[in-house]
Structures are given as structure tokens and as C-alpha cells.
Amino acid sequence: MSLTSPPLSSTADALMRLATVIESRKVANGGDPQSSYVARLLDQGPDAFLKKIGEEATEVVMAAKDVDHGADKSKVIYEVADLWFHTLIALAHYGLTPAQVIAELERREGTSGMEEKALRKALAREKLEP
């Protein structure tokens, strides 16, 4: 199995296409909860899709642990795809897009993760100070 990645623009395009489909499944846009899994999750509200995100995140962890013990790496890809799919549903519910997430990742590009975390903590402290 090859783990080469498609170009970033192709990846972003794929996410945007999927986001467009998810958006079309909203009940307000004609989605039918009786015939569409996405429409059903969105119609049931945040508890339904947030529970799925938690389940899928756990499955990613379990798949990764299995790979550490010799399992096929493709299982991690499969589970991450499920996780991303359900997070795209959450984004749609909250009126957000994959482009906004990609923009945030691009904003962080070249920044140390430790620096980013320290900055977020400092900003949070500033908000708490009178």
C-alpha cells in the first residue's frame, strides 16, 4: 500500500465537495432523515453527531494501536476517514467549512506546536484578568 499524498489542492477540493454534499443533506436544504444518514444525524442534533465523533476518534486510536502490533496501516486511514466525515457534519451544523479549518492550519504552519499552545494559554489568561 502506498502512502503517497495527493496535492493539497486536490485534498482541499475533495473536502469541499464532500462538505457541499453534506450541506445539501440538511433538512432545510431538502435532506430526508428517512433516506439519508447525514440528514438523520443533523436532524437528531449535536448529541447524535458528537457521539459519532467520539466513537470514531476512539476507533482511530484503537486502529493505530493495532498497527503498533502488526495490523494493516490501511485500517487507520479507514477510521480517520470516518472521523473526518463526522467532523465535516459538525462543521456543517455550525455553519463552518473545511476551508476555514485549512486556513487555520495554514495560519499555524511554521509555528512550533509548543509555541502555539503557550500563546493560546497566554491569551486565555488575558481574557480572565480584570
Side-chain angles (χ1 to χ4, degrees), residues 100-116:
Q100 291 171 293
V101 176
I102 291 167
E104 174 61 15
L105 291 171
E106 288 172 341
R107 184 192 68 77
R108 295 179 187 187
E109 189 175 2
T111 303
S112 159
M114 290 186 279
E115 290 173 9
E116 174 72 18

Side-chain angles (χ1 to χ4, degrees), residues 56-72:
E56 298 303 342
T58 299
E59 290 175 11
V60 169
V61 171
M62 291 170 30
K65 295 298 266 178
D66 288 347
V67 168
D68 287 340
H69 297 283
D72 185 348

Side-chain angles (χ1 to χ4, degrees), residues 24-39:
S24 76
R25 298 299 196 267
K26 288 181 173 180
V27 173
N29 295 333
D32 179 7
Q34 298 300 316
S35 63
S36 166
Y37 173 72
V38 171

Side-chain angles (χ1 to χ4, degrees), residues 8-24 84-85 88-89 91-92 95-103:
L8 183 56
S9 61
S10 171
T11 302
D13 290 346
L15 290 173
M16 290 307 295
R17 285 192 306 273
L18 182 53
T20 299
V21 171
I22 290 169
E23 189 68 28
S24 76
W84 285 13
F85 175 77
L88 287 171
I89 292 171
L91 288 174
L96 303 169
T97 67
Q100 291 171 293
V101 176
I102 291 167

